[in-house]
Amino acid sequence: MRTRRLSPGRVLAWIYLAVIVLVTVFPFYWILRTALSDNYALLGNPSSLLPVDFTWGPFKRVLGLATAEESLAEGGSGATLDLGRYLVNSIVYATASTFLVVLFSLLAAYAFARLHWRGRDFVFGLFLAALMVPGILTLLPNFVLVRDLGLLNTFAGMILPYGLFSAFNIFFLRQFMLGLSAETEEAALIDGAGRMRILFGITVPMTSGPITTLSILGFIGMWNDYFWPLLVTTDESVQPLTLALAVFKQSSPQSQPDWAGLMAATLVAALPMLLLFMVFGRRIVNSIGFTGLK
Amino acid sequence: MTLLNTGPAPARDLPTGPAAPRRRPASPSHRGDGPLAWLLIAPALIGFLVFAVYPTLRGVYLSFTEFRVLTPPKWIGIANFQELAGDPVFWNSLRVTVYFVVVAVGLTVIAAVTTAAVLHRLTSSTVIRGLIILPFLISGVVAATVWSWMLDPQLGIVNAAVHAFGGDGVQFLTSREWAIPSIAFIHVWKNLGYTAIILFAGLQTIPPQVYEAGRIDGAGETRMFFSLTLPLLRPILALVLVLNVIGAFQVFDLVSVTTKGGPANASNVLQMYIYSKAFGQFDFGYASAMSLALFAILIAITFLQMRLLRANESEQA
């Protein structure tokens, strides 16, 4: 490979790749650049590549640290937004949903992979069918159900429909467990260890790779979820960041939106994912490729 | 279906216990598995029955009712579907959605295949792959907000660039003709990297000897792409295509944040119309009927997928 000369084709391919990377990354820079600008000053200089009249104001506005006067002076709408609370809501919602669905999928996958019981293949077949059937039809009835259970505007109502069951997770973990040698477990059984001790002492540690993969992908999905929380929450005390941002965007004045504030809010909403990416970047990239091959 | 056969041998003979004169008597450790197994799958099974099976059936039922949320549903037969057939807004939504799906998925897949192939032949840099999946990590709401700003007709950087090259400013999200292409572009931006990484992983399963052989036979890169890469990639390409189509048919976040379906229904995709019927007008019966229609479309696509995949299997055999 290394000995091959740069042909025109390869140069073209590199240029293509550079354009793709640039178009992909530029909006992230633009968020930062706008979020550090004075909203009034932006009007006069919309295409400056650097922040216009550098200020932390937009972040103060969306984190509820600016007074109404300060906000208006920098071109904010005067409305204050306290993203801190929504940030906590998002953390609770995404963490609890992800933890529960991975735990319950793990338990089920173990039952399918290692235990012998009547009806196993039948139940597994049913779960597998759920993987094929799109969930679109469940949205409205699930809203009605959650409402009838009195769980609107509660974390329980947000979490339950997606925190108990994931056909994909169960399938993914079962396939992995089937590939593991059962010898250690059999030996432990003969030594008289209980099933639960084997599950958490032997199987779970050996499955830690796929568990991490599913947890990361699940957390990303839940963190970015918008439609379901939109249906079942109207109360700020439980709404996640995605909703707060959408409301902030939709309620900003048509004539002159607070773009700097909006970009600061956007950055706050995206930041945890970007941090996750910095820590688990390689793993995320490999996970996506891996799950696609399944 | 082959998935079902990869497990350990079915345990059908186990309940007869050690008395059964079979080879390999069930190890005593497996005898008490039943109750524990049901306990372990209980949470998932409850979630499956209560939040997947029951609502799916109820969704079908609600499609045949007049249901205004606050009063109990009333059976009205196929009236919702008759109304649907004569609802110009619904047909417009269906047209708009298909237009979006074709543009968004078409561009995503073409760009993703190109990107994956280029990555595969040029570099295995994790950094580059990491950078291009960044948009996958952020929510549709964030993506839609950023692009609303960048595509703003007056202050947006995109129109600034258009002006710089001597073009006229474009009303990206505020004109009838540009609304759907603009949202489709945002969708492509958000999904390109993710799709490319899946395809890239598929490419890595192709043995390098295939390319060595191709080179020895004197094939150039372009020839190898069309004669080797694409055919070998087809099974995973079919999968990616279908997942993308199904996802795009249900687009909501991007539309909800950028245009709310406007201007004048020009971007009123199905999911948006369903939402406004259900939560704007509280017409849950009608909204359910539309969900059922969308459901039928997605099922049809899923079956098409299986046909495609099976066709591939027999071709390679």
Side-chain angles (χ1 to χ4, degrees), chain A residues 161-243:
Chain A
Y162 302 102
L164 292 174
F165 171 69
S166 157
F168 179 79
N169 282 4
I170 293 173
F171 171 70
F172 193 78
L173 290 169
R174 169 187 175 270
Q175 288 301 103
F176 185 85
M177 286 180 189
L178 287 177
L180 291 176
S181 156
E183 269 173 32
T184 326
E185 294 173 49
E186 296 288 343
L189 265 183
I190 290 164
D191 287 349
R195 275 290 182 188
M196 294 311 275
R197 237 190 95 196
I198 293 175
L199 170 57
F200 286 102
I202 299 173
T203 316
V204 167
M206 288 203 289
T207 317
S208 63
I211 291 175
T212 315
T213 297
L214 292 177
S215 301
I216 294 173
L217 293 181
F219 190 82
I220 295 172
M222 291 296 178
W223 186 270
N224 292 333
D225 192 15
Y226 172 63
F227 207 1
W228 178 244
L230 174 69
L231 299 193
V232 294
T233 64
T234 47
D235 194 288
E236 293 172 359
S237 63
V238 290
Q239 285 184 323
L241 272 170
T242 44
L243 269 160

Side-chain angles (χ1 to χ4, degrees), chain A residues 4-240:
Chain A
R4 285 167 56 82
R5 289 304 315 145
L6 272 183
S7 64
R10 285 175 80 84
V11 172
L12 207 66
W14 274 113
I15 291 173
Y16 170 83
L17 203 54
V19 170
I20 290 286
V21 171
L22 189 70
V23 172
T24 303
V25 176
F26 182 76
F28 290 94
Y29 172 71
W30 210 239
I31 296 174
L32 186 66
R33 167 268 186 197
T34 310
L36 294 173
S37 297
D38 180 301
N39 201 50
Y40 275 137
L42 274 179
L43 297 175
N45 201 352
S47 50
S48 154
L49 286 177
L50 292 173
V52 188
D53 280 8
F54 181 92
T55 167
W56 293 105
F59 285 101
K60 289 186 186 157
R61 287 206 285 287
V62 298
L63 292 172
L65 302 172
T67 63
E69 298 87 62
E70 281 173 340
S71 160
L72 286 169
E74 287 192 353
S77 61
T80 49
L81 182 69
D82 183 4
L83 281 183
R85 180 180 34 191
Y86 298 100
L87 196 65
V88 173
N89 292 343
S90 274
I91 291 171
V92 172
Y93 173 53
T95 310
S97 302
T98 309
F99 174 78
L100 289 178
V101 79
V102 171
L103 173 69
F104 292 146
S105 301
L106 192 65
L107 298 181
Y110 185 78
F112 286 122
R114 285 288 188 263
L115 303 184
H116 297 245
W117 44 289
R118 198 196 283 262
R120 183 183 65 182
D121 293 347
F122 174 71
V123 177
F124 188 70
L126 282 182
F127 281 11
L128 211 58
L131 206 56
M132 307 283 179
V133 177
I136 160 85
L137 213 47
T138 63
L139 275 172
L140 298 180
N142 266 340
F143 163 78
V144 178
L145 180 61
V146 164
R147 190 204 56 169
D148 291 347
L149 292 172
L151 293 177
L152 289 183
N153 286 317
T154 64
F155 282 115
M158 291 162 71
I159 292 167
L160 277 178
Y162 302 102
L164 292 174
F165 171 69
S166 157
F168 179 79
N169 282 4
I170 293 173
F171 171 70
F172 193 78
L173 290 169
R174 169 187 175 270
Q175 288 301 103
F176 185 85
M177 286 180 189
L178 287 177
L180 291 176
S181 156
E183 269 173 32
T184 326
E185 294 173 49
E186 296 288 343
L189 265 183
I190 290 164
D191 287 349
R195 275 290 182 188
M196 294 311 275
R197 237 190 95 196
I198 293 175
L199 170 57
F200 286 102
I202 299 173
T203 316
V204 167
M206 288 203 289
T207 317
S208 63
I211 291 175
T212 315
T213 297
L214 292 177
S215 301
I216 294 173
L217 293 181
F219 190 82
I220 295 172
M222 291 296 178
W223 186 270
N224 292 333
D225 192 15
Y226 172 63
F227 207 1
W228 178 244
L230 174 69
L231 299 193
V232 294
T233 64
T234 47
D235 194 288
E236 293 172 359
S237 63
V238 290
Q239 285 184 323

